[in-house]
Amino acid sequence: MAKKKLVLIGNGMAGIRAIEEILQLLPDQFDITVFGKEPYPNYNRIQLSKVLQGDTEIKDITLNEWQWYEDNGILLYPGETVTKIDKQKQVVYTDKGKETAYDHLIIATGSNPFMLPLPGADKEGVTAFRDIEDCEKMIDASKNYKRAAVIGGGLLGLEAARGLLNLGMEVDVIHIADYLMERQLDHAAAELLQKELESQGMNFYLEKQTSEITGKKRVTGLKFKDGGAIPADLVVMAVGIKPNIALAQESGVEVNRGIVVNDHMETNIPNIYAVGECAEHREMVYGLVAPLYEQGQALAKQICGMNHQGYKGSVLSTQLKVSGVDVFSTGLINETADTKSIKVFDEWQNTYKKILVQNDKLTGAVLFGDTKEGTKLLSLIKKGANVQEYLESQQAGDDGESVVAAMSDEEIICGCNGVSKGTIVSAIKNDGLLTVEQVKGKTNASRSCGTCKNLVSDLLTDTLGDEYEADTKESICACTDLTRDEVVAEIKEKGLTYSKEVMNVLEWKTEEGCSKCKPALNYYLGMVYPQEHEDERESRFVNERLHANIQKDGTYSVVPRMYGGVTNAEDLRTIADVADKYDVGMIKLTGGQRIDLLGVKKEDLPDVWKDLGMPSGYAYGKSVRTVKTCVGAEFCRFGTQDSTGMGIQLEKKFEGLNTPHKVKMGVSACPRNCAEGGIKDVGVVGLDGVWEVYVGGNGGTDLRKAELLVKVKTQQEVLEYTAAFLQYYRENASYLERTSHYVERVGIEHVQEIVNDDQLRAELNARMDQALSVYQEPWSHVLESETTLKDLYQKVTAK
């Protein structure tokens, strides 16, 4: 039987979700064609704020890569807009002259941002916040301008404001209502939110109505109807959206506020359907993800000819993070004459909960700060539960019963992607899933905003028992149940900037942390905020605090920097003089081609460094240490490349770079590999006309042979690929995880895929440059600080 032609207009979340559902129901029944006006594959629009904030890249919010379309036989036309529908001939026409026939046509054109018709709204520097292009405009503006004004204090406006703050701009938020997010929050929760956002740097103008955008060619400010005015270099309008119904309207499809559909998502024209933000169902137009996905499920069943009840509408709920603050609301949010409420305000924890009850039934809830109850409340409200049931379930929770255990199979775990508990449990059992990542890959749960990760984790625990806890989830230490990835994500999400704050906000079990988590947190904070984070010296191990390795007799060893293992007579005389002057116990050549002065007294360390006049060799640090080299082509008759020059370049470039664990390198000029690059974290081997770069080797206790990362032709490429590898390792490895363990864990193929991507490699190099830009030579830095000398060295001397 010939396949039916299915055409989707709109490559967004709702339409593609309907296609995904159809592919699951009848994978081989349709020839599918998708037209999308943006030049990207399907991406998660609700994550745009993260792209703007710099936490996430576009690739990270892509829901279906190009390969997905190919794998499923879908013909995608990105950057192409459907301009006309001939509903009699059942053909669509595009702006590039294409004609495509259909048996079923889905309109999923989404919505357009609402732009206030203000004088000056057409000036340069005025933008909406709706798509990737808008994000790029704002990012570009932040490079040349300082003051931004965001019109709209709803969710979108606040997310835009947070992103602009992250980009270094001063941000004013103008809102017409007397409190923020009035559609999702009540007055009390909004006040808490405003207070938190003000502490982050936002400035608010409430109950203000903009009358004009001033400036000549480019915006210079805003005027308000009450006569006030503020300066602005960039104006972002985030005042709402309106369904994109133009194509449907011009094609004779019935529209009202949106494209009118019935419970089966059918329009008034046979074989034409609408789904998502452009559709109007029972006089409702939805903008949240969950309803759109529910519509997609109903539509898929209809097109596939399945028996179903259709789409009956959605109980709206919002669970999200606003600038790092957890917020949840559903149903009624403000009291009426017929409602009673349960309220809990914890000023100490800065959390707020309000549950509304009408005729003994739960009808709405607002949560601020702590939203763990959100899923349970939404479930109870959806089924019209009695307040007593909630109180009893709360008691069960207090008794330690898992929230997810009490949920029915139909209840939704992942609101963004509409994934139920039953779907996840079935996948865990039938597909042998063991981790949250595996569940995400199989079911889409936690694929979008990620706020349901804990619930997915609880389901794994509930389904697998000890097998999951014992084998998969590894917390940073006993002070917390959070994994490394969860902690780093929370640092980024909540904008946490120092270790104490992390421990407090993430509810550490111990007040001061431990020797395992304190240096780890210091490292993660420095990795996330390389230019802003102030190193917490007290969190570092003793060797790193004192910039020397302590020995078994309480003395220290001093290893000066010797780039590429190359030295000269003058430096050697200086080292000899210092050794004599301070009565050094032993002078030892190290395996990394350095000179180690052993037996230096602690109180002598600053004077030793001063007399040496050389940089620290970082022999004590979780850092790039040495680059071992052979003599190379200049002297060796077998050498084919300048290995010493290459090694010196590598060592100078990455000098002082903080890494999860120590990093050692080796550069050889021929396959004899005299610098032992095969057992280094990064090993470089020069051949005739080519350099081989190996990574993940280890010559220590856990001997591991390095694996080939890439072959390149120039020294510059060696530096570029090495930087990309080291930065990716810095950003993704656990603290104290050597490259050998890391590469083995993620696989060399994965690392190769990352560093061989031109764009990713360039981005990793840019972030590496940022990290290296703050380097301070530690020995000279200590010598310049009387406080550090007194605190770390002189006090000890007095004892």
Side-chain angles (χ1 to χ4, degrees):
M1 187 173 67
K3 291 184 178 180
K4 292 191 174 181
K5 297 180 177 64
L6 173 60
V7 172
L8 168 64
I9 304 175
N11 191 29
M13 297 172 70
I16 290 297
R17 184 52 184 267
I19 297 295
E20 289 177 328
E21 295 286 342
I22 289 169
L23 289 171
Q24 285 192 16
L25 294 172
L26 293 175
D28 300 316
Q29 297 296 308
F30 300 96
D31 278 330
I32 302 174
T33 303
V34 178
F35 293 97
K37 67 178 182 180
E38 291 189 81
Y40 306 102
N42 172 237
Y43 67 86
N44 187 345
R45 197 177 301 278
I46 62 175
Q47 298 280 298
L48 274 177
S49 57
K50 292 182 178 295
V51 175
L52 181 63
Q53 291 168 18
D55 298 334
T56 303
E57 301 168 17
I58 293 173
K59 69 176 180 59
D60 296 321
I61 66 170
T62 299
L63 294 172
N64 293 293
E65 301 285 354
W66 302 110
Q67 188 64 40
W68 176 83
Y69 296 88
E70 187 174 335
D71 291 344
N72 289 284
I74 297 172
L75 193 56
L76 171 66
Y77 292 101
E80 190 160 350
T81 303
V82 173
T83 56
K84 180 182 175 183
I85 302 170
D86 186 329
K87 53 186 186 291
Q88 277 73 41
K89 294 181 180 176
Q90 298 203 154
V91 174
V92 299
Y93 302 87
T94 76
D95 59 350
K96 295 185 178 177
K98 197 173 278 87
E99 298 180 16
T100 302
Y102 66 84
D103 296 306
H104 298 284
L105 175 66
I106 302 173
I107 303 176
T109 45
S111 58
N112 294 321
F114 182 72
M115 300 295 283
L116 294 171
L118 297 170
D122 57 346
K123 294 186 187 303
E124 186 181 321
V126 179
T127 183
F129 180 36
R130 182 61 184 161
D131 54 28
I132 290 173
E133 186 179 355
D134 294 333
C135 283
E136 291 172 342
K137 286 180 186 174
M138 287 187 267
I139 291 169
D140 288 343
S142 71
K143 295 173 182 174
N144 300 305
Y145 301 98
K146 287 298 180 185
R147 295 192 64 94
V150 178
I151 302 177
L155 169 63
L156 204 59
L158 297 179
E159 292 288 10
R162 178 63 253 182
L164 292 166
L165 277 181
N166 280 23
L167 292 172
M169 301 193 79
E170 299 172 20
V171 182
D172 295 320
V173 178
I174 299 93
H175 195 45
I176 196 168
D178 61 343
Y179 65 92
L180 302 173
M181 290 183 64
E182 71 277 6
R183 292 185 181 179
Q184 290 88 19
L185 302 180
D186 64 357
H187 209 294
E191 283 188 355
L192 290 171
L193 178 62
Q194 182 177 343
K195 186 178 178 182
E196 169 61 28
L197 298 180
E198 285 173 339
S199 73
Q200 295 181 16
M202 288 186 209
N203 184 44
F204 292 97
Y205 291 89
L206 300 180
E207 297 183 86
K208 291 283 186 182
Q209 194 167 356
T210 306
S211 61
E212 182 182 352
I213 298 173
T214 58
K216 293 183 179 178
K217 184 179 179 184
R218 186 181 179 86
V219 58
T220 58
L222 296 179
K223 285 185 178 178
F224 302 129
K225 282 194 173 179
D226 62 6
I230 59 171
D233 306 311
L234 172 71
V235 173
V236 179
M237 287 201 195
V239 292
I241 56 175
K242 54 183 179 182
N244 182 4
I245 60 174
L247 175 65
Q249 192 169 26
E250 292 166 3
S251 302
V253 180
E254 182 186 0
V255 299
N256 186 34
R257 290 172 56 209
I259 302 169
V260 178
V261 295
N262 61 20
D263 287 0
H264 302 299
M265 310 311 294
E266 297 170 314
T267 69
N268 66 318
I269 306 299
N271 299 321
I272 297 182
Y273 314 84
V275 68
E277 292 176 337
C278 65
E280 178 179 330
H281 174 261
R282 298 188 184 183
E283 300 183 350
M284 283 290 293
V285 175
Y286 296 94
L288 298 174
V289 176
L292 309 188
Y293 283 176
E294 290 171 17
Q295 292 177 1
Q297 290 172 338
L299 173 57
K301 290 176 181 174
Q302 180 65 20
I303 289 179
C304 292
M306 306 287 181
N307 289 325
H308 67 110
Q309 295 181 337
Y311 175 65
K312 302 298 184 185
S314 301
V315 175
L316 295 179
S317 68
T318 305
Q319 177 152 355
L320 39 86
K321 288 181 186 294
V322 183
S323 297
V325 182
D326 290 313
V327 173
F328 171 85
S329 70
T330 186
L332 286 177
I333 56 175
N334 290 307
E335 292 88 342
T336 68
D338 300 327
T339 60
K340 294 181 179 178
S341 61
I342 301 170
K343 291 183 180 179
V344 178
F345 174 42
D346 186 336
E347 190 173 6
W348 179 252
Q349 298 288 341
N350 200 33
T351 58
Y352 170 75
K353 173 171 71 175
K354 182 176 76 175
I355 299 171
L356 290 173
V357 182
Q358 191 172 30
N359 299 324
D360 294 333
K361 291 186 176 180
L362 302 182
T363 55
V366 178
L367 305 176
F368 178 90
D370 182 354
T371 59
K372 289 196 291 287
E373 278 193 64
T375 300
K376 180 173 69 177
L377 284 166
L378 175 61
S379 173
L380 292 170
I381 291 168
K382 271 187 171 179
K383 69 180 185 182
N386 189 285
V387 65
Q388 193 59 37
E389 183 178 349
Y390 165 69
L391 295 174
E392 289 173 356
S393 69
Q394 193 175 42
Q395 181 62 43
D398 292 343
D399 290 342
E401 181 181 340
S402 166
V403 171
V404 296
M407 295 172 67
S408 68
D409 283 350
E410 292 74 29
E411 291 181 36
I412 297 296
I413 295 291
C414 176
C416 293
N417 294 292
V419 186
S420 69
K421 172 188 172 182
T423 299
I424 295 173
V425 171
S426 176
I428 293 171
K429 291 179 177 176
N430 297 333
D431 298 298
L433 308 184
L434 295 171
T435 69
V436 173
E437 285 299 309
Q438 290 173 340
V439 172
K440 181 169 72 175
K442 187 68 181 179
T443 69
N444 287 332
S446 77
R447 181 184 178 190
S448 298
C449 74
T451 53
C452 64
K453 274 188 176 179
N454 287 338
L455 292 177
V456 174
S457 178
D458 289 346
L459 272 180
L460 281 158
T461 302
D462 195 54
T463 307
L464 300 175
D466 293 341
E467 182 183 358
Y468 170 63
E469 287 289 345
D471 294 343
T472 60
K473 183 168 180 175
E474 182 177 351
S475 63
I476 285 181
C477 65
C479 301
T480 178
D481 294 326
L482 298 175
T483 64
R484 176 264 183 212
D485 289 348
E486 289 169 338
V487 169
V488 171
E490 292 284 356
I491 287 172
K492 294 178 179 176
E493 287 282 351
K494 292 185 165 62
L496 308 178
T497 55
Y498 56 96
S499 296
K500 275 282 191 180
E501 185 183 21
V502 174
M503 294 175 190
N504 184 39
V505 173
L506 303 186
E507 300 179 344
W508 239 239
K509 296 174 185 177
T510 56
E511 187 176 348
E512 297 295 332
C514 67
S515 60
K516 191 172 182 181
C517 65
K518 286 166 64 178
L521 290 178
N522 187 43
Y523 170 75
Y524 295 141
L525 287 163
M527 180 268 291
V528 173
Y529 308 112
Q531 295 181 316
E532 296 83 8
H533 176 62
E534 186 173 345
D535 185 48
E536 296 168 13
R537 189 177 58 196
E538 66 280 5
S539 295
R540 289 187 175 270
F541 293 120
V542 61
N543 290 348
E544 290 182 303
R545 285 203 304 274
L546 296 171
H547 302 293
N549 269 331
I550 191 169
Q551 305 298 309
K552 61 187 293 184
D553 62 355
T555 62
Y556 288 78
S557 73
V558 172
V559 181
R561 179 69 69 184
M562 200 173 283
Y563 300 103
V566 177
T567 185
N568 55 57
E570 183 179 352
D571 284 348
L572 289 174
R573 288 190 192 95
T574 301
I575 291 171
D577 290 340
V578 168
D580 285 342
K581 181 177 179 180
Y582 295 96
D583 197 22
V584 168
M586 177 184 285
I587 304 173
K588 179 75 173 69
L589 297 181
T590 72
Q593 300 178 332
R594 303 297 186 267
I595 293 178
D596 195 351
L597 306 178
L598 293 145
V600 179
K601 296 175 184 175
K602 188 176 187 176
E603 58 270 30
D604 288 337
L605 286 172
D607 289 332
V608 169
W609 301 336
K610 184 178 179 181
D611 288 350
L612 283 171
M614 301 175 187
S616 167
Y618 263 96
Y620 47 81
K622 306 294 179 284
S623 171
V624 171
R625 292 192 173 180
T626 60
V627 181
K628 185 175 182 177
T629 66
C630 68
V631 296
E634 186 176 0
F635 293 97
C636 179
R637 59 194 172 95
F638 299 112
T640 58
Q641 297 276 13
D642 178 15
S643 55
T644 52
M646 184 74 258
I648 289 170
Q649 282 193 69
L650 283 166
E651 192 162 353
K652 287 192 171 180
K653 178 174 177 66
F654 300 111
E655 181 178 6
L657 177 70
N658 284 319
T659 46
H661 210 303
K662 59 186 176 184
V663 170
K664 298 181 177 180
M665 303 189 198
V667 182
S668 299
C670 77
R672 290 168 179 77
N673 212 342
C674 295
E676 303 171 333
I679 53 170
K680 299 296 185 187
D681 296 280
V682 177
V684 180
V685 179
L687 305 176
D688 194 11
V690 67
W691 293 94
E692 293 178 337
V693 180
Y694 295 82
V695 298
N698 192 343
T701 305
D702 299 319
L703 186 66
R704 185 177 192 273
K705 183 181 178 182
E707 296 181 79
L708 180 64
L709 178 70
V710 68
K711 292 182 180 180
V712 295
K713 294 182 178 179
T714 67
Q715 293 190 359
Q716 182 58 38
E717 287 174 305
V718 172
L719 293 169
E720 183 183 330
Y721 277 86
T722 301
F725 167 70
L726 288 177
Q727 183 63 18
Y728 193 66
Y729 164 62
R730 293 182 73 241
E731 294 177 357
N732 293 281
S734 297
Y735 188 67
L736 297 184
E737 185 178 24
R738 290 293 298 267
T739 63
S740 54
H741 295 147
Y742 175 70
V743 171
E744 185 155 329
R745 176 165 64 85
V746 302
I748 188 65
E749 295 81 4
H750 171 73
V751 180
Q752 287 171 330
E753 183 179 349
I754 296 296
V755 302
N756 284 327
D757 184 304
D758 292 346
Q759 182 178 343
L760 295 181
R761 188 170 66 256
E763 292 167 350
L764 287 164
N765 269 268
R767 294 199 293 277
M768 170 63 79
D769 290 342
Q770 197 176 35
L772 291 170
S773 68
V774 297
Y775 169 64
Q776 288 182 307
E777 201 290 309
W779 288 352
S780 58
H781 186 60
V782 169
L783 294 174
E784 293 168 358
S785 171
E786 291 186 6
T787 302
T788 304
L789 286 171
K790 182 178 179 183
D791 290 345
L792 287 184
Y793 304 97
Q794 293 178 9
K795 276 185 175 179
V796 177
T797 303
K799 291 178 181 178

